[in-house]
Amino acid sequence: MWNVVTAVGIVVTLATAIPVFMQMRNHPKGMHILFFAEMWERFSYYGMRGLLKLYMANYLFVTIRQTYQGKAYDGTGDPALVAGWSFIKQFLPNPSAAELTECINPKVEALMKGDAANNIAAVGADVARNIAEQTCVANAQGSVLYGWYTGLVYLTPLFGGILADRYLGQRKTVFLGGTLMAIGHFVMAFENSFFLALLLLILGNGAFKPNISTQVGNLYPPGDPRRDGAFTIFYMGINLGAGVAPLLCGYLGETYGWSYGFGLAGIGMLAGLLVFGFGAKQLGDNGDPPNDKLNHKVAGLSIENWTYAGAFASVAAFALLVRYFELMSYVLTPFSLLVVGIIFVAAIRDTKIVRERLFVVLILLFFSTLFWAFFEQAGSSLTLFTDTNVERHGLPASVFQSVNPAFILLLAPVFSALWVGLGRRHKEPSIPVKFALGIAQLGVGFLVLAWSGAFAVDGEISISGENGSEITQAAAVVPLLFLIGGYLLHTTGELCLSPIGLSMVTKLSPHKITAMVMGGWFLSSAMAHHLAGLIALLTSPPETGAAAGTLAVETGLLDAVGTRSPELLTSYDNLANYLTVFEQIGYVALGAAVLCFAMAPLLTKWMHLDAPDTDALPPKKPAETQPQTF
């Protein structure tokens, strides 16, 4: 079955990419290089990320291990051999007794049953409990580390942007970031160096991510109507890599072992690095260093070499954040405000046109953060909603994580062609209007989910246990169609906002700080993820002490409790709570969309699209005359 899913997923992914490749004929040659470099980088990132949490919970931090991802616990190991783990784990929170009981019992039951279809033998009660206790603790601690990792992944692009703007230029910084990530992916294949690998990946992403996006914008002169369409194509590359990677890396992890899955992710990053390195001549002077300071020598070494040495040495500095990772939630908000303040000060010190353009960036940054805080419910509350209250027709809840990427692959070519076509007819909506449309569609998507309660029925759901076994229980379920419809509207909203936001940063930021502002744009994603976690907490049923079914009756989901079992009534209460929160999100998003629509004329005026680019790059020299060194 897994082979069929993998094959179908790859075929569909590649088939949907054909229209994009055809559209790229109308774009600069450098677009091909940046598209494939980003595609392979995202392949490596999502391939590794898809294995990361499972790897921590079922292999790295337990003594009885899954040798192959998702298979039997047939191996042994010592987590203490992972460099830094003995020190780090003492600062990680342990789950409560109630949380452990809720996690352990179904795991023990599944392990004792085994799975004859997959040749997984049943184990005794003592062994099953030992495995369950270890994996439940490791899963909780792995979740904290996973949150720390993804938070820093969105934090470091700010520093990568500053490094490019001040010293290396985008091209050299992208290559440095790709090199760090390639090393990190291959180090990940060695379990003892796990934390070193994560640090290399975090720093590499910070150097790579904002600067390759900036280079896409630099391909197009001011006012070029192809720019928004180009970023939609670029966004397709992101999702193309993200769509294929979990299938292939997951297959290797399941069939040949964890290190093979991580190794394939590393090969993907290496492929992206080679594409960018050998194709850089097609970029001309796009992303060259901002000045000649790199050639100046200090203590016998050029500033460029000192910069590279500092980048590798910064691994140790960021290692300190592992020790104090629990402070991340307290540091993120003031740090984000500091970055906004820096951009604001840069704005008021510049000319009127630059100042007002940066004000537009900051205002749309707020709307973008709000959008992603709601959108990222897909990875938390919306997934739990799918698992517990959606009629899934036997499919596991994790499958529906692929719905959004699938819609992206299908619709990105349509939106790219739409923006280009409307631009040629001078009817393309302004960027603020596109943002408002994106937020509005997101809001309607959540309202569609909220309205599904009118069609809730008594049903059953299957919860996956360990090793593929299933546990069936009574539940209040809503039709799958509402979930798909919600995802569709979230995706169309995403396509109106996310790639357009990247385009907007390159349009409106002065070239001397474009990469830094792009890093700030990605930093807003870290803030959005933090807010998304707080919003997801609202979907946890409140401990009111009321009888089962009370909340469902109070919200109108049920007319009366009737003769339903307490288990089923509790499920209705959970559903009522989900739908209430989704409805609130929907109306807040629509309110934000109205506000953005109302501000659109002023924001469009402040963009000064008809004014000359007062901060233009110098005329490009012919690409073939540019020496390509890294």
Side-chain angles (χ1 to χ4, degrees):
M1 182 62 181
W2 176 255
N3 293 336
V4 174
V5 172
T6 302
V8 171
I10 293 173
V11 169
V12 171
T13 300
L14 295 178
T16 56
I18 294 175
V20 174
F21 298 150
M22 295 178 64
Q23 287 185 37
M24 279 201 289
R25 294 180 300 177
N26 300 320
H27 290 267
K29 290 183 178 179
M31 184 64 193
H32 296 73
I33 302 304
L34 299 176
F35 175 94
F36 284 108
E38 176 71 358
M39 182 196 76
W40 282 115
E41 186 274 329
R42 289 291 89 182
F43 176 96
S44 71
Y45 175 78
Y46 283 100
M48 184 280 296
R49 198 182 77 166
L51 294 172
L52 183 59
K53 191 174 177 182
L54 294 171
Y55 178 65
M56 290 189 287
N58 296 306
Y59 185 86
L60 193 63
F61 298 147
V62 294
T63 58
I64 304 177
R65 298 174 165 181
Q66 284 183 348
T67 305
Y68 304 97
Q69 187 260 315
K71 300 296 185 179
Y73 289 88
D74 57 355
T76 59
D78 185 1
L81 296 178
V82 179
W85 173 240
S86 297
F87 175 74
I88 292 170
K89 71 176 181 179
Q90 62 185 311
F91 302 104
L92 292 170
N94 288 310
S96 66
E99 291 171 333
L100 273 178
T101 300
E102 183 179 355
C103 174
I104 289 172
N105 290 341
K107 286 181 180 288
V108 169
E109 182 179 345
L111 288 164
M112 291 178 66
K113 285 182 179 178
D115 185 0
N118 290 307
N119 297 317
I120 298 175
V123 298
D126 291 341
V127 174
R129 177 157 291 274
N130 187 8
I131 293 173
E133 288 176 350
Q134 289 195 56
T135 55
C136 285
V137 172
N139 184 63
Q141 295 176 334
S143 295
V144 175
L145 288 172
Y146 182 82
W148 161 80
Y149 168 72
T150 54
L152 287 178
V153 158
Y154 286 109
L155 176 66
T156 51
L158 176 71
F159 302 104
I162 294 174
L163 180 65
D165 288 334
R166 297 284 183 89
Y167 302 105
L168 292 180
Q170 287 88 34
R171 182 162 52 85
K172 290 177 182 289
T173 310
V174 166
F175 198 82
L176 171 64
T179 301
L180 287 169
M181 284 191 288
I183 296 172
H185 280 297
F186 287 113
V187 170
M188 182 71 77
F190 303 96
E191 60 188 73
N192 294 353
S193 304
F194 175 74
F195 289 108
L196 173 62
L198 287 186
L199 290 169
L200 288 168
L201 292 170
I202 289 166
L203 292 172
N205 180 83
F208 189 98
K209 192 64 178 170
N211 294 299
I212 195 166
S213 301
T214 300
Q215 285 190 282
V216 173
N218 290 343
L219 291 173
Y220 302 89
D224 193 323
R226 298 176 297 171
R227 187 190 298 247
D228 284 0
F231 272 97
T232 305
I233 291 175
F234 186 69
Y235 203 65
M236 172 69 176
I238 293 173
N239 284 276
L240 187 60
V244 175
L247 297 173
L248 293 179
C249 293
Y251 173 76
L252 288 183
E254 177 183 308
T255 307
Y256 299 103
W258 299 96
S259 60
Y260 288 89
F262 289 127
L264 180 61
I267 292 173
M269 187 63 250
L270 187 60
L273 200 59
L274 292 174
V275 167
F276 188 82
F278 286 106
K281 61 183 179 181
Q282 297 190 31
L283 299 173
D285 58 2
N286 180 351
D288 278 353
N291 49 57
D292 61 356
K293 291 181 180 179
L294 292 180
N295 297 322
H296 297 171
K297 290 190 176 182
V298 177
L301 284 178
S302 68
I303 290 179
E304 179 174 1
N305 288 330
W306 276 115
T307 302
Y308 294 143
F312 281 92
S314 64
V315 172
F318 271 85
L320 292 175
L321 289 175
V322 177
R323 164 63 179 84
Y324 299 105
F325 71 92
E326 68 272 14
L327 298 178
M328 279 288 292
S329 59
Y330 301 102
V331 171
L332 185 58
T333 298
F335 184 77
S336 299
L337 293 175
L338 175 63
V339 172
V340 170
I342 292 172
I343 298 174
F344 180 81
V345 171
I348 61 177
R349 288 181 175 178
D350 220 310
T351 63
K352 179 177 184 293
I353 290 178
V354 173
R355 178 169 62 251
E356 292 183 346
R357 284 175 171 174
L358 284 176
F359 285 168
V360 173
V361 172
L362 290 175
I363 292 170
L364 293 183
L365 195 65
F366 163 77
F367 285 110
S368 174
T369 302
L370 188 67
F371 177 92
W372 290 112
F374 293 156
F375 183 91
E376 288 301 329
Q377 297 307 303
S380 54
S381 63
L382 196 51
T383 296
L384 294 175
F385 166 73
T386 304
D387 190 41
T388 59
N389 292 110
V390 174
E391 176 52 69
R392 294 180 272 109
H393 303 288
L395 295 172
S398 59
V399 167
F400 296 96
Q401 287 285 303
S402 301
V403 172
N404 170 250
F407 278 140
I408 289 284
L409 295 174
L410 290 170
L411 297 177
V414 177
F415 275 77
S416 176
L418 176 65
W419 301 140
V420 173
L422 290 175
R424 288 172 178 168
R425 295 172 177 82
H426 304 289
K427 295 181 178 180
E428 184 179 7
S430 66
I431 288 177
V433 170
K434 290 178 181 176
F435 266 61
L437 289 170
I439 298 169
Q441 290 171 86
L442 178 76
V444 174
F446 273 105
L447 290 179
V448 167
L449 294 170
W451 296 331
S452 68
F455 300 88
V457 296
D458 299 354
E460 290 183 340
I461 57 170
S462 296
I463 300 177
S464 297
E466 290 294 316
N467 303 327
S469 64
E470 293 186 345
I471 302 171
T472 301
Q473 65 183 43
V477 295
V478 298
L480 178 61
L481 181 63
F482 285 90
L483 180 70
I484 302 300
Y487 271 125
L488 174 61
L489 287 164
H490 290 181
T491 303
T492 54
E494 179 185 2
L495 287 170
C496 285
L497 184 142
S498 187
I500 305 307
L502 297 174
S503 175
M504 178 269 297
V505 171
T506 64
K507 281 181 180 179
L508 303 182
S509 303
H511 293 297
K512 59 188 176 184
I513 61 169
T514 298
M516 185 197 76
V517 177
M518 185 68 76
W521 186 261
F522 286 112
L523 176 62
S524 72
S525 295
M527 189 66 197
H529 278 74
H530 178 60
L531 293 174
L534 298 178
I535 294 170
L537 291 176
L538 299 176
T539 61
S540 300
E543 298 293 338
T544 62
T550 300
L551 181 61
V553 173
E554 289 177 351
T555 58
L557 187 60
L558 286 177
D559 294 328
V561 296
T563 59
R564 295 178 176 90
S565 66
E567 179 184 48
L568 183 56
L569 289 173
T570 299
S571 179
Y572 269 102
D573 284 339
N574 293 339
L575 175 60
N577 197 57
Y578 279 123
L579 300 185
T580 299
V581 174
F582 292 160
E583 184 178 41
Q584 291 169 346
I585 291 175
Y587 285 125
V588 171
L590 287 179
V594 170
L595 178 60
C596 192
F597 269 122
M599 298 180 67
L602 176 62
L603 296 179
T604 303
K605 178 182 177 182
W606 280 359
M607 289 171 66
H608 297 283
L609 297 177
D610 297 328
D613 189 353
T614 57
D615 190 45
L617 289 168
K620 291 185 178 182
K621 292 172 274 189
E624 60 270 20
T625 66
Q626 302 304 299
Q628 303 301 317
T629 58
F630 295 94

